[in-house]
């Protein structure tokens, strides 16, 4: 890395604590969740955010977009939502000079830097699948024509864990497309007290833009260059392979798991570990990065058997057991 590039990257990295502080002006607490969303952005992936209603999921994502000067769109997923409502549709227009009619592609809300797919499990699989190409290829195809999506591009999908009536659970293939599966819990007593004080008056916080879209792209490039030792790569590989009942030596996994994580899990864990290093102003991955991110990376990539579900064993329990070794 050249000296000029290193200076540029150090300047960008030094802005990240200011970014979290700016988000903290509006969002009280939830530091771990904010960190994981930013990690997903730096790693160039997408995240699934699960939490009960009223935990400011939408506000959190909107606030982050404002502090990043990124175009934000929110789509409320409903049972009657169609793929065209997300990616866009062609409309018939007329050239006023020639009188000829032609079809023009009208871009949908997917054409934004940050897209909040609210309650993604409330829409049928056909519409859920419309996100797949966008998530993986950063483009959409309509009537045989490819349309590139803006960069940087981040999809944050939310779902409600307590209300499953009338929902369409995401298939495993689509779950695997999400880099992180983030669980949002209730705030602490003091945090909830601060929320009540800050949100029931007249005052509102104005946010400053900390990073531009090009600076985020530069940070994503830096993330790929962060050093990780061969020893830690081997550790990641062993951890992922140990989630599979047919290759593991863990009796816990053999007892409770139906199948384990695929190779994409290892790629996700290494990329996210590198992103966490950048977020903490480091240029090298440490074991703590792997241990902390193993949960959001693996929890949606491990399938439990019926006995585990009956005994209330979770995928987080499986990860915790594997990390002990």
């Amino acid at each position: 890395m050249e000296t000029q590039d290193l200076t540029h990257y150090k300047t960008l990295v030094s802005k990240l604590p200011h970014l979290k502080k700016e988000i903290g002006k509006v969002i009280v607490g939830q530091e771990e969740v904010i960190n994981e969303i930013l990690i997903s952005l730096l790693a160039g992936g997408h995240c699934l955010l699960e939490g009960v209603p009223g935990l400011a999921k939408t506000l959190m994502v909107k606030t982050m977009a404002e502090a990043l000067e990124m175009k934000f769109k929110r789509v409320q997923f409903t049972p009657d939502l169609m793929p065209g409502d997300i990616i866009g549709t062609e409309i018939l227009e007329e050239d006023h000079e020639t009188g000829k009619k032609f079809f023009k592609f009208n871009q949908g809300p997917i054409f934004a830097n940050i897209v909040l797919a609210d309650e993604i499990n409330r829409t049928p699989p056909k519409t859920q699948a419309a996100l797949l190409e966008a998530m993986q290829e950063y483009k959409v195809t309509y009537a045989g024509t490819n349309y590139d999506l803006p960069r940087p591009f981040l999809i944050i999908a939310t779902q409600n864990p307590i209300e499953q009536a009338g929902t369409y659970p995401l298939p495993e293939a689509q779950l695997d497309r999400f880099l992180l599966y983030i669980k949002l819990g209730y705030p602490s007593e003091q945090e909830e007290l601060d929320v009540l004080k800050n949100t029931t008056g007249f005052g509102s916080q104005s946010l400053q833009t900390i990073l531009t879209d090009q600076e985020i792209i530069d940070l994503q490039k830096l993330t790929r260059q962060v050093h990780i030792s061969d020893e830690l790569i081997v550790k990641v590989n062993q951890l992922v392979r140990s989630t599979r009942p047919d290759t593991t030596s863990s009796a816990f996994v053999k007892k409770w798991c139906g199948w384990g994580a695929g190779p994409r899990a290892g790629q996700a864990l290494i990329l996210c570990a590198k992103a966490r290093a950048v977020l903490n102003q480091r240029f090298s991955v440490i074991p703590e990065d792997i241990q902390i991110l193993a949960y959001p990376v693996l929890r949606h990539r491990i399938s439990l058997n019926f006995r585990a579900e009956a005994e209330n064993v979770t995928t987080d329990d499986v990860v915790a057991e594997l990390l002990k070794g």
Side-chain angles (χ1 to χ4, degrees):
M1 191 183 297
E2 296 181 1
T3 305
Q4 186 177 2
D5 291 337
L6 185 60
T7 303
H8 174 61
Y9 284 137
K10 283 184 176 179
T11 302
L12 294 183
V13 169
S14 67
K15 292 183 178 182
L16 291 171
H18 299 292
L19 173 62
K20 291 195 285 185
K21 185 177 180 181
E22 200 68 18
I23 296 173
K25 287 182 179 180
V26 177
I27 304 300
V28 178
Q30 304 293 0
E31 291 183 15
E32 184 178 346
V33 173
I34 292 171
N35 283 343
E36 289 176 357
I37 293 176
L38 291 175
I39 285 169
S40 186
L41 176 63
L42 292 175
H46 311 282
C47 51
L48 183 62
L49 186 59
E50 181 180 273
V52 299
L55 295 182
K57 297 186 290 293
T58 302
L59 180 61
M60 185 184 300
V61 178
K62 186 177 180 181
T63 300
M64 187 180 76
E66 288 181 18
L68 291 172
E69 197 182 45
M70 295 169 72
K71 186 179 179 182
F72 169 75
K73 290 288 186 180
R74 174 179 177 268
V75 182
Q76 180 65 51
F77 279 63
T78 57
D80 60 348
L81 195 74
M82 299 296 291
D85 298 325
I86 300 173
I87 65 175
T89 57
E90 282 187 333
I91 56 175
L92 187 63
E93 291 197 350
E94 182 178 346
D95 189 324
H96 296 292
E97 294 182 0
T98 64
K100 292 183 178 180
K101 295 182 179 181
F102 62 95
F103 283 100
K104 179 183 177 182
F105 181 68
N106 191 26
Q107 295 181 350
I110 195 74
F111 287 87
N113 297 112
I114 297 182
V115 179
L116 179 63
D118 218 351
E119 293 192 283
I120 190 173
N121 57 337
R122 291 214 168 276
T123 202
K126 181 178 180 180
T127 306
Q128 292 172 355
L131 293 177
L132 275 178
E133 183 184 20
M135 292 170 65
Q136 189 68 21
E137 306 296 336
Y138 294 90
K139 67 178 182 180
V140 296
T141 304
Y142 192 93
T145 303
N146 293 329
Y147 299 91
D148 291 328
L149 294 168
R151 297 292 189 97
F153 179 66
L154 171 67
I155 288 180
I156 302 177
T158 71
Q159 61 182 20
N160 179 356
I162 60 174
E163 195 176 2
Q164 298 302 320
T167 62
Y168 304 84
L170 289 170
E172 284 75 8
Q174 190 162 346
L175 277 174
D176 195 38
R177 302 283 177 178
F178 288 100
L179 196 68
L180 297 179
Y181 183 0
I182 303 169
K183 290 194 174 183
L184 184 62
Y186 288 110
S188 66
E189 183 176 357
Q190 184 58 50
E191 288 172 348
E192 193 163 358
L193 188 62
D194 291 339
V195 168
L196 296 178
K197 290 179 180 178
N198 297 340
T199 59
T200 54
F202 287 107
S204 62
Q205 290 285 354
S206 59
L207 298 180
Q208 293 181 339
T209 300
I210 306 300
L211 289 167
T212 64
D213 52 359
Q214 184 56 53
E215 288 175 329
I216 288 294
I217 292 172
D218 289 345
L219 282 170
Q220 290 177 339
K221 292 178 182 177
L222 172 63
T223 298
R224 292 271 179 172
Q225 299 178 56
V226 169
H227 176 263
I228 180 171
S229 66
D230 290 342
E231 182 183 352
L232 283 180
I233 293 177
V234 169
K235 185 175 181 180
V236 168
N237 190 42
Q238 290 174 342
L239 176 62
V240 172
R241 290 182 63 81
S242 66
T243 64
R244 305 168 192 165
D246 56 340
T247 60
T248 188
S249 60
S250 169
F252 193 89
V253 171
K254 290 180 179 179
K255 181 178 181 181
W256 302 114
C257 293
W259 47 264
R264 190 182 280 130
Q267 295 171 327
L269 187 50
I270 290 174
L271 271 176
C272 289
K274 288 184 174 185
R276 187 177 186 272
V278 171
L279 197 60
N280 287 279
Q281 302 184 71
R282 287 185 276 105
F283 295 94
S284 182
V285 175
I286 61 176
E288 182 184 275
D289 298 326
I290 305 294
Q291 293 169 357
I292 289 178
L293 289 165
Y295 292 95
V297 167
L298 293 174
R299 65 168 51 116
H300 59 301
R301 293 182 164 100
I302 299 172
S303 176
L304 302 174
N305 55 34
F306 291 110
R307 184 165 56 168
E309 294 176 9
E311 295 292 332
N312 291 322
V313 175
T314 66
T315 52
D316 280 5
D317 295 331
V318 175
V319 176
E321 184 69 24
L322 292 175
L323 289 176
K324 289 179 184 177

